Amino acid sequence: MLNKNSTWQVCMVISLLLLALIYALPNLYPADPALSISATRGAKISEQTQAQLSQTLQQANIPVKALQLQDGQLLLRFADTEAQLQAQTLFNKTLDHNYVTALSLAPATPAWLARIGATPMKLGLDLRGGVHFLLAVDMQAAQQKHMNDLQQRLRVEMRQADIRYRSVQADPTDAQLQIALRSAADLASLESLLSKRDRQWLLSRADDGVTLLLQLSELQLKALREEALEQNITILRNRVNEIGVAEPIVQRQGADRIIVQLPGVQDTAQAKEILGATASLEFRLVNTQADLAAALAGRVPADAELFQTRDGQPILLEKRIMLTGDRITDASSGYDEYGMPQVSIMLDAQGGELLSAGTKNATGRRMASVFVEYKASAERAEDGSAVLIKQQEVINDATIRMRLGHSFQITGLSSSAEAQQLASLLRAGALIAPIQILEERSIGPSLGQENIKLGMQAISFGMLAVLLFMLVYYKGFGLVANVALLANVVLLVGLLSMIPGATLSLPGMAGIVLTVGMAVDANVLIFERIREELSAGRSVQQAIHEGYDRAFATIADSNITTLLVALILFGIGTGPVKGFAITLALGILTSIFTAVLCTRLIVNMIWGGRRVQSLSI
């Protein structure tokens, strides 16, 4: 018989809608504006501290929803962002430097929903508030670092191969190394060594017959820039995770730009300090053979380099770097047996081997930890770019008691806060190349709430207008379309909540508004086709059957082309364009499902499989 529902179709549609409803429910419980207070420098937050802070809020007439003390951190929940900001201003004035306050959002999802992994939609920067950075990677610095590393590696390899050389000079600007050998035989040996190692290098002899010019090819330079950009993106993501930002966005833009969006973060100074830090460590042996007084007078030996310790004392280190910070796999802050702050470091397999080999015959000697950081100066280059200054400082030097391996400790730090920050930077990794902040925008949480309010109003008004039109124009069938439209919105919200990485932004809300308007297009095509079939003299059951079957091809064609456009926008777009594209694409899929399948099931249940003389259409 025509227009009868099968059991499996009904069960499938009901199951999908129930699943979407469950995962859409957390959006009824939006996150609370919160303020987290943590202790540093050995301070501790106790129940007494919690009571004092609560009393301070009462005296200032700032309402608070809840105070929670977990893992030594106090979390205060507020009803609105205004109270949140007032509380932060109050505590910044009243608390001493041993406490740190940070704006955040505390989830309010019921426990039973959280247990099954149901969470609210992730909101973008324009809805939640936060900071936006456009960063530029200094490719020249990346090239310079690569050439310096290559220079040191070639010196080691030539010594291991017994190739005698006078000097190895690097020209980072032209990506060229100039290697002066002792004889023509040494030059031939070096050419043979380099041709086996990397055939993409461009090798040429100078006129004197004992100097070899090594030039990086364009392919190598391109690969170097790509690697610098991708590794910087990975490291920035690690750093963002270290500061605990929820749903951050770190993505590439163009050949050397990176976009970083940190929803919920309002402390731009801290964000810039964490993102822009190019801190790393170098481990070198202290040079005890050379004369320190002569080095201070300007006569520094060729195999040594002059540094300063934190207290301003000069120290002479070997030029050879035993180990660099890129071999660090984990770093944690703590205290030594004397209660002084320290950082415990774990190395990867190759780093452990390098340190073990470097300290094999160095028992009793001193090893220094050199803190290396790039900072932008106030001056600008001719092209307007920032001039970066390399700052190096010996943070500690200790006597090697035994051969070191995959783990060791750094001491001599001034405070536990410094130890925590150093450990955080080392865990996240050092930037391959320095970055420059080209653009910085900050969106307050109150503005984000206003955007949410206006966006919800637009969706509500659009939906109300569509519901009224369908109900008035198509009567009973319009009511069916309205039920499907509501199911469509639930399904779309559920999908946005379930999909990892999906973020709802203001353009995304525009995509939802557009979806609401487009969702009934398919129903309009179907209903008009049913009207035509009835006008042609078909029976009610035949008109319903033919209306759905014959309209489906047109519905599929129009929605597939729109879906293709949405996928192209998602693939090549960034930021707001991507947010609009994802809601549009999901909205097209949910619209086809609800407008065709869901309405067909409802129509079949009401009018299908029985003798009906007329339709409410």
Side-chain angles (χ1 to χ4, degrees):
M1 187 177 290
L2 288 176
N3 306 322
K4 292 289 288 184
N5 293 327
S6 61
T7 304
W8 72 267
Q9 285 180 324
V10 175
C11 292
M12 179 192 70
V13 171
I14 292 176
S15 299
L16 288 175
L17 291 178
L18 283 176
L19 182 66
L21 179 61
I22 290 173
Y23 279 88
L25 281 177
N27 294 283
L28 298 177
Y29 307 92
D32 293 324
L35 187 68
S36 60
I37 302 176
S38 55
T40 60
R41 300 178 177 88
K44 185 178 180 182
I45 296 180
S46 61
E47 293 184 358
Q48 182 179 3
T49 310
Q50 179 180 352
Q52 291 174 350
L53 295 177
S54 177
Q55 184 178 4
T56 303
L57 289 172
Q58 290 178 358
Q59 292 174 352
N61 294 321
I62 299 176
V64 59
K65 287 180 66 175
L67 285 85
Q68 298 173 327
L69 182 60
Q70 293 180 344
D71 301 327
Q73 187 178 66
L74 186 63
L75 183 71
L76 297 87
R77 295 172 178 263
F78 300 92
D80 51 49
T81 55
E82 183 178 353
Q84 177 197 34
L85 296 174
Q86 289 176 352
Q88 185 193 36
T89 303
L90 174 65
F91 288 140
N92 284 341
K93 292 179 180 178
T94 56
L95 293 177
D96 58 31
H97 61 280
N98 290 327
Y99 297 93
V100 177
T101 63
L103 297 174
S104 62
L105 290 167
T109 307
W112 70 274
L113 286 172
R115 278 195 293 269
I116 62 174
T119 57
M121 286 185 293
K122 302 173 183 65
L123 301 181
L125 197 69
D126 46 8
L127 298 181
R128 178 169 288 182
V131 292
H132 165 99
F133 295 108
L134 176 62
L135 312 174
V137 179
D138 189 341
M139 292 302 180
Q140 189 64 35
Q143 187 170 307
Q144 180 176 353
K145 181 179 183 298
H146 179 78
M147 296 302 296
N148 291 339
D149 292 343
L150 180 60
Q151 181 183 18
Q152 292 186 10
R153 288 201 306 268
L154 282 180
R155 283 173 174 159
V156 173
E157 291 181 12
M158 285 190 291
R159 283 195 295 265
Q160 292 174 346
D162 293 328
I163 298 175
R164 299 171 302 160
Y165 66 93
R166 291 190 181 92
S167 64
V168 182
Q169 296 180 348
D171 185 358
T173 305
D174 294 331
Q176 186 182 79
L177 282 179
Q178 183 175 323
I179 309 168
L181 286 306
R182 294 283 183 180
S183 65
D186 291 321
L187 187 145
S189 299
L190 180 58
E191 285 180 329
S192 176
L193 176 68
L194 294 178
S195 62
K196 293 176 182 177
R197 186 172 173 213
D198 195 332
R199 296 184 180 275
Q200 292 183 352
W201 281 336
L202 305 177
L203 305 177
S204 60
R205 295 188 178 190
D207 295 337
D208 59 6
V210 292
T211 301
L212 185 68
L213 301 178
L214 185 153
Q215 180 82 40
L216 296 185
S217 66
E218 281 300 322
L219 192 61
Q220 287 175 309
L221 289 175
K222 182 179 179 181
L224 172 64
R225 297 186 190 104
E226 287 290 321
E227 181 184 10
L229 186 64
E230 292 301 326
Q231 290 195 23
N232 267 12
I233 290 174
T234 301
I235 292 165
L236 287 174
R237 286 198 181 108
N238 293 337
R239 291 187 177 185
V240 168
N241 293 335
E242 283 291 330
I243 60 178
V245 179
E247 297 100 36
I249 295 175
V250 182
Q251 62 187 21
R252 172 177 180 168
Q253 186 181 61
D256 62 348
R257 305 291 171 87
I258 301 173
I259 290 177
V260 178
Q261 293 184 353
L262 307 177
V265 173
Q266 299 299 320
D267 190 349
T268 57
Q270 181 200 20
K272 285 173 15 180
E273 183 179 353
I274 294 295
L275 293 177
T278 55
S280 183
L281 285 181
E282 294 176 353
F283 301 96
R284 309 188 189 199
L285 290 174
V286 177
N287 191 321
T288 56
Q289 304 297 322
D291 186 359
L292 182 59
L296 289 173
R299 297 188 299 274
V300 181
D303 61 346
E305 196 170 347
L306 189 62
F307 288 87
Q308 277 194 341
T309 61
R310 293 201 150 178
D311 55 4
Q313 297 299 316
I315 184 171
L316 203 59
L317 305 182
E318 290 188 358
K319 185 168 285 186
R320 181 177 66 91
I321 299 173
M322 189 186 308
L323 185 73
T324 56
D326 55 357
R327 295 298 173 191
I328 296 174
T329 59
D330 191 24
S332 59
S333 59
Y335 298 91
D336 60 14
E337 62 270 21
Y338 304 107
M340 301 302 292
Q342 70 173 19
V343 175
S344 299
I345 290 178
M346 294 289 294
L347 304 174
D348 60 13
Q350 187 174 356
E353 292 174 2
L354 289 172
L355 189 61
S356 178
T359 58
K360 180 180 179 180
N361 301 316
T363 303
R365 295 188 61 181
R366 286 155 57 209
M367 184 180 75
S369 304
V370 183
F371 185 73
V372 183
E373 186 175 18
Y374 286 90
K375 288 190 174 181
S377 69
E379 300 178 356
R380 292 276 174 174
E382 293 181 358
D383 59 357
S385 61
V387 176
L388 296 168
I389 301 175
K390 184 179 180 180
Q391 297 183 347
Q392 300 181 103
E393 180 184 41
V394 176
I395 58 176
N396 88 317
D397 65 282
T399 302
I400 301 173
R401 302 296 183 189
M402 63 180 69
R403 186 176 183 178
L404 300 178
H406 291 82
S407 63
F408 61 99
Q409 288 75 39
I410 295 177
T411 57
L413 302 169
S414 60
S415 66
S416 61
E418 182 188 7
Q420 290 172 2
Q421 185 174 13
L422 177 60
S424 174
L425 288 173
L426 294 178
R427 277 196 303 270
L431 293 174
I432 303 302
I435 58 174
Q436 177 186 357
I437 298 177
L438 300 179
E439 179 184 327
E440 174 189 342
R441 293 201 308 268
S442 180
I443 300 175
S446 56
L447 179 59
Q449 289 295 326
E450 184 68 17
N451 288 339
I452 293 175
K453 177 183 175 182
L454 295 175
M456 291 303 298
Q457 286 180 356
I459 293 173
S460 301
F461 291 154
M463 181 173 290
L464 182 61
V466 172
L467 291 175
L468 289 174
F469 172 80
M470 294 301 291
L471 189 61
V472 171
Y473 196 72
Y474 291 108
K475 301 180 176 62
F477 272 69
L479 181 61
V480 172
N482 289 343
V483 173
L485 179 59
L486 295 175
N488 181 28
V489 174
V490 171
L491 197 60
L492 181 56
V493 172
L495 283 174
L496 287 171
S497 302
M498 284 189 285
I499 296 176
T503 302
L504 181 65
S505 59
L506 199 57
M509 296 189 82
I512 295 177
V513 176
L514 181 60
T515 298
V516 169
M518 294 172 56
V520 294
D521 284 353
N523 289 130
V524 170
L525 290 172
I526 294 170
F527 296 165
E528 289 299 326
R529 189 71 190 187
I530 292 174
R531 281 179 168 179
E532 291 177 4
E533 296 296 329
L534 290 173
S535 301
R538 301 272 189 178
S539 67
V540 169
Q541 299 303 329
Q542 287 178 328
I544 293 174
H545 180 77
E546 295 295 334
Y548 274 95
D549 279 3
R550 294 186 178 182
F552 182 76
T554 305
I555 295 169
D557 287 344
S558 61
N559 283 280
I560 287 174
T561 53
T562 310
L563 181 61
L564 288 175
V565 172
L567 293 177
I568 293 171
L569 288 175
F570 181 80
I572 66 175
T574 58
V577 176
K578 194 179 287 285
F580 174 78
I582 191 170
T583 53
L584 179 61
L586 290 176
I588 291 169
L589 296 176
T590 56
S591 296
I592 294 176
F593 176 79
T594 55
V596 177
L597 191 56
C598 292
T599 60
R600 182 72 181 266
L601 292 179
I602 298 173
V603 168
N604 287 351
M605 282 190 291
I606 299 175
W607 291 284
R610 59 191 182 90
R611 298 181 65 86
V612 180
Q613 299 301 322
S614 63
L615 289 178
S616 179
I617 194 171

